[in-house]
Amino acid sequence: MNDNLSDPDKPLPFFDLLENLPYGIALLDHLGNELYFNPAFTAMTGYILADLPTVNDWAAKAYPDPVYRAEVMAAWESDAVNGGNIANATPVFKVTCKDGTTKDICFNAAFLQNGLALVTMLDVTRQKQAETALRLSEARYRAIVEDQTDLICRFTPDGRLTFVNGAYCRYFGQTGDTLLGQQFFPEVAAAERETIRQGILSLSPDKPVFKHEQRLPLAEGTSAWHHWTFRAIFDDHGKLTECQAVGYDITERKQAETQLRFLSLHDPLTGLYNRTYFEQILGRLETKPFQAISIVIFDVDGLKLINDTLGHTAGDALLTTASTIIKAPFRQNDIVARIGGDEFAVLITGEQPVDIEKIINCIRKKIGQYNQGSPDLPLSLSIGFATRTSSLVTMTEIFREADNIMYREKLHRSQSTRSAIVQTLMRALEARDFITEGHATRLQGLVIDLSRALGLTKRHIADLRLLAQFHDIGKVGIPDRILFKPGPLTPLERTEMQRHSEIGHRIALAAPDLAHIADWIYKHHERWDGSGYPLGLKGPEIPLECRIIAIADAYDVMTSDRPYHQAITPTAAVAELRRCAGTQFDPHLVPLFIASLTAAGKV
């Protein structure tokens, strides 16, 4: 120790104290010579007194970067000029130690009366690293919070906001500075905020989380649902100091839940109640005290025929129309439901049968008005109703009675309904005949010529004329995109087109005037070699009438312009018939057909 001093015979008694201090100590004279380093100084920096005899040596080694060294020395010189104020400033400098590592060291200097300077040094590297880590952590936390689309805020136990993120500000259309100090959820009624506050106050350190779904108002009268998680923050003594709330939008989920609840009780097509809800109400009425209750049953006539011919889109449109007409005259508290594919039912309390008769007559009148304005898709309803007039009669019995009455009416109306639908389909076919420019009329003439050559009876010829006119009636159920397609059909489109023979068969069976030719309509695309459709019949298995139509139809198609090809000459068409005789056509009928054309001067 004494060899650090200029005079070893005069030891300073406080050196023993300096030797044991945990702080680094350096003693300098007024010329800047280093007089003493304590062990803590050496442990801290790695330097001994021999390494740094002067302040300049310290500066050169402790601050090797010349720019940084100049900044540090300027600070020391300013301190010396100002009388040692650096002691109050407690600056922190980055010191390069003997082993090349860098430490953050806090300096304090005291200038003694004898011209000596006592410098104390404290290693604050870990503290600085912790502060830097804390700042980074806070910056990262703030970045995460600010980038969240969730609404995040913190508030005091009395509800005053202390922090809001950007999403919270944007949602309420205010700046953070404006919101801070306000009550949380500024647009929410005070009673609702109080409910939330009480929920938070009920929390404890063992149960610090409270969840709540809140509907918050938006601009222009709209609103949005949010799910909030409130987390209470307690101090070491268990006292509530703050609360953090994180909310995210659940509007779509709420809408989906509402939609699911609606669909669980309503028919998705018409929006009326469904059978499940109808039966629930029916069951409740069974247990209630007796009151006059009526049930009206409606059935859409001919819906299956419409679905099979015009498609389910047309059938759905008819059901929607029916639901609108049925619901209109009933009261808001009457239960109007779709209880089946083509059935509707209404539960009515308090009305007398005579009043229900008036409602039914009103509905029939509306149907008539609709059919006058919409001749392309006629609507017909079979209706039956029954009223409970005794507590001994169950609602199930009343429903069965109304259903039986409706069914009896349906039996009486079924034939006329099918005829009306078929007439509508026939008009639709005639409207589409412009595609083939009188194809049906020309085909009848060709069939008559061949029938006479075969010696068929007048009645047989009459049936063939009817087949010529309506063999393609099933095309009313084929989409226009396929019927009008100018180019070749895809395999899927061809399959769809081939359905027209099946559709036509169903239509013909529903029409008394066509029922006897329904089988011919079904089979008129069979081929002699068995490669036709829909059954793949072969040779004589194919009805004669179908074989006649096949030849005449092919000739007219070839000699007429179609969306998918231009007409060829009669001579070329005859050549094609000869080529296909025995494969597509009856080989015995083709020569007779050609002869009839020649006799009529058509070739």
Side-chain angles (χ1 to χ4, degrees):
M1 175 184 68
N2 290 339
D3 57 2
N4 283 327
L5 301 176
S6 58
D7 187 355
D9 296 330
K10 296 180 179 179
L12 298 177
F14 63 88
F15 280 168
D16 288 335
L17 176 62
L18 298 182
E19 289 281 309
N20 295 296
L21 284 177
Y23 311 108
I25 300 294
L27 189 64
L28 294 78
D29 64 15
H30 67 283
L31 298 176
N33 297 312
E34 307 278 10
L35 303 180
Y36 169 77
F37 294 163
N38 74 339
F41 178 98
T42 300
M44 189 182 303
T45 65
Y47 298 115
I48 61 175
L49 189 61
D51 297 325
L52 307 170
T54 68
V55 169
N56 290 334
D57 295 318
W58 161 260
K61 293 182 178 181
Y63 316 115
D65 179 67
V67 176
Y68 184 62
R69 181 167 63 246
E71 294 176 2
V72 173
M73 298 310 292
W76 279 104
E77 290 174 4
S78 173
D79 176 70
V81 171
N82 293 326
N85 289 336
I86 196 167
N88 298 322
T90 60
V92 176
F93 298 123
K94 288 193 175 296
V95 173
T96 300
C97 302
K98 189 173 182 179
D99 61 3
T101 60
T102 301
K103 292 183 179 179
D104 291 299
I105 296 180
C106 176
F107 288 88
N108 279 299
F111 294 94
L112 306 180
Q113 293 181 353
N114 57 4
L116 299 178
L118 183 68
V119 179
T120 61
M121 304 163 61
L122 178 65
D123 187 349
V124 294
T125 303
R126 292 185 178 179
Q127 178 183 335
K128 284 292 184 179
Q129 290 172 344
E131 290 174 356
T132 300
L134 180 60
R135 284 196 301 272
L136 287 173
S137 177
E138 290 178 347
R140 291 185 186 120
Y141 170 77
R142 181 170 292 276
I144 291 172
V145 169
E146 286 299 327
D147 291 341
Q148 288 292 312
T149 56
D150 294 346
L151 278 59
I152 301 176
C153 66
R154 288 196 297 270
F155 49 88
T156 57
D158 64 353
R160 298 290 174 180
L161 289 167
T162 58
F163 170 80
V164 290
N165 73 338
Y168 191 98
C169 296
R170 289 189 295 273
Y171 184 87
F172 290 105
Q174 299 186 45
T175 64
D177 292 340
T178 304
L179 287 168
L180 295 181
Q182 290 189 29
Q183 289 285 333
F184 65 92
F185 303 165
E187 304 297 328
V188 175
E192 180 69 16
R193 283 201 304 272
E194 181 60 22
T195 299
I196 297 172
R197 194 176 73 86
Q198 291 300 326
I200 295 167
L201 292 177
S202 68
L203 297 176
S204 66
D206 295 330
K207 187 183 176 183
V209 176
F210 165 62
K211 296 185 177 181
H212 179 69
E213 290 184 356
Q214 172 66 47
R215 189 172 188 173
L216 297 176
L218 295 173
E220 301 177 356
T222 60
S223 61
W225 280 93
H226 281 78
H227 179 279
W228 289 92
T229 299
F230 296 93
R231 180 174 294 277
I233 301 171
F234 297 92
D235 62 16
D236 293 339
H237 304 290
K239 180 182 178 182
L240 177 65
T241 60
E242 200 172 37
C243 182
Q244 178 169 286
V246 179
Y248 59 91
D249 195 314
I250 57 170
T251 304
E252 288 188 5
R253 193 197 80 190
K254 283 289 188 180
Q255 291 172 344
E257 290 173 354
T258 301
Q259 182 70 6
L260 286 174
R261 284 195 296 270
F262 180 86
L263 291 177
S264 69
L265 300 176
H266 291 78
D267 171 49
L269 176 65
T270 63
L272 302 178
Y273 289 116
N274 59 17
R275 187 181 189 92
T276 299
Y277 184 76
F278 181 84
E279 290 180 344
Q280 287 177 4
I281 299 299
L282 209 62
R284 292 175 195 170
L285 292 174
E286 293 279 19
T287 61
K288 287 189 175 182
F290 170 76
Q291 58 178 320
I293 300 175
S294 298
I295 297 178
V296 187
I297 306 292
F298 301 85
D299 189 281
V300 180
D301 300 322
L303 181 64
K304 185 177 186 304
L305 180 58
I306 290 173
N307 283 335
D308 290 345
T309 55
L310 298 181
H312 285 275
T313 300
D316 288 349
L318 196 65
L319 284 170
T320 303
T321 299
S323 69
T324 302
I325 293 175
I326 289 170
K327 184 179 180 181
F330 290 102
R331 300 167 303 182
Q332 188 172 3
N333 61 336
D334 294 332
I335 305 300
V336 184
R338 182 186 176 198
I339 60 172
D342 55 3
E343 274 194 310
F344 298 85
V346 184
L347 271 172
I348 311 165
T349 58
E351 294 283 5
Q352 298 301 314
V354 63
D355 298 317
I356 296 174
E357 287 281 6
K358 291 179 181 178
I359 293 174
I360 291 174
N361 289 335
C362 175
I363 290 173
R364 294 194 190 281
K365 183 179 178 180
K366 290 292 185 182
I367 291 172
Q369 293 172 351
Y370 167 78
N371 287 337
Q372 287 181 358
S374 305
D376 294 339
L377 195 63
L379 172 63
S380 174
L381 294 178
S382 295
I383 307 172
F385 84 94
T387 302
R388 185 171 73 164
T389 56
S390 169
S391 59
L392 300 177
V393 181
T394 66
M395 292 305 303
T396 301
E397 291 171 329
I398 294 300
F399 180 89
R400 188 180 300 116
E401 181 184 352
D403 194 56
N404 288 338
I405 293 172
M406 179 277 296
Y407 188 70
R408 288 197 294 271
E409 179 176 300
K410 190 174 186 68
L411 290 177
H412 291 301
R413 299 168 61 88
S414 60
Q415 189 59 59
S416 60
T417 299
R418 286 198 300 270
S419 296
I421 294 173
V422 170
Q423 290 300 320
T424 299
L425 297 175
M426 288 179 177
R427 288 194 296 271
L429 180 64
E430 292 171 1
R432 288 184 171 197
D433 194 46
F434 74 90
I435 304 171
T436 54
E437 299 178 351
H439 169 63
T441 302
R442 293 192 304 273
L443 192 57
Q444 289 185 62
L446 295 171
V447 165
I448 290 171
D449 291 342
L450 180 54
S451 298
R452 287 173 178 169
L454 289 169
L456 300 181
T457 64
K458 288 184 178 180
R459 182 171 180 178
H460 207 160
I461 293 173
D463 288 342
L464 275 167
R465 290 186 64 184
L466 200 62
L467 178 62
Q469 183 177 1
F470 293 109
H471 68 288
D472 276 341
I473 192 172
K475 288 184 177 179
V476 297
I478 304 301
D480 287 348
R481 60 181 174 79
I482 296 178
L483 275 181
F484 288 83
K485 187 173 181 179
L489 300 179
T490 66
L492 188 62
E493 291 170 338
R494 190 176 298 108
T495 300
E496 182 74 10
M497 174 67 86
Q498 290 175 356
R499 287 186 58 248
H500 82 273
S501 60
E502 301 174 26
I503 296 172
H505 179 250
R506 286 193 291 266
I507 295 172
L509 287 176
D513 296 338
L514 300 178
H516 64 293
I517 66 168
D519 187 60
W520 301 344
I521 291 174
Y522 186 55
K523 300 173 180 175
H524 77 277
H525 275 290
E526 299 290 353
R527 297 167 65 111
W528 183 259
D529 62 1
S531 62
Y533 65 88
L535 300 177
L537 300 180
K538 188 175 183 180
E541 295 175 348
I542 305 169
L544 174 63
E545 296 78 8
C546 297
R547 286 179 270 154
I548 291 172
I549 282 292
I551 296 170
D553 189 33
Y555 176 81
D556 187 71
V557 168
M558 287 188 288
T559 56
S560 304
D561 287 332
R562 290 296 177 97
Y564 48 86
H565 77 75
Q566 291 184 339
I568 63 176
T569 65
T571 301
V574 166
E576 184 65 15
L577 290 177
R578 287 196 177 102
R579 188 182 70 81
C580 296
T583 54
Q584 182 173 351
F585 309 116
D586 183 338
H588 308 293
L589 293 181
V590 169
L592 293 175
F593 179 75
I594 294 172
S596 68
L597 290 177
T598 303
K602 296 178 180 178
V603 178

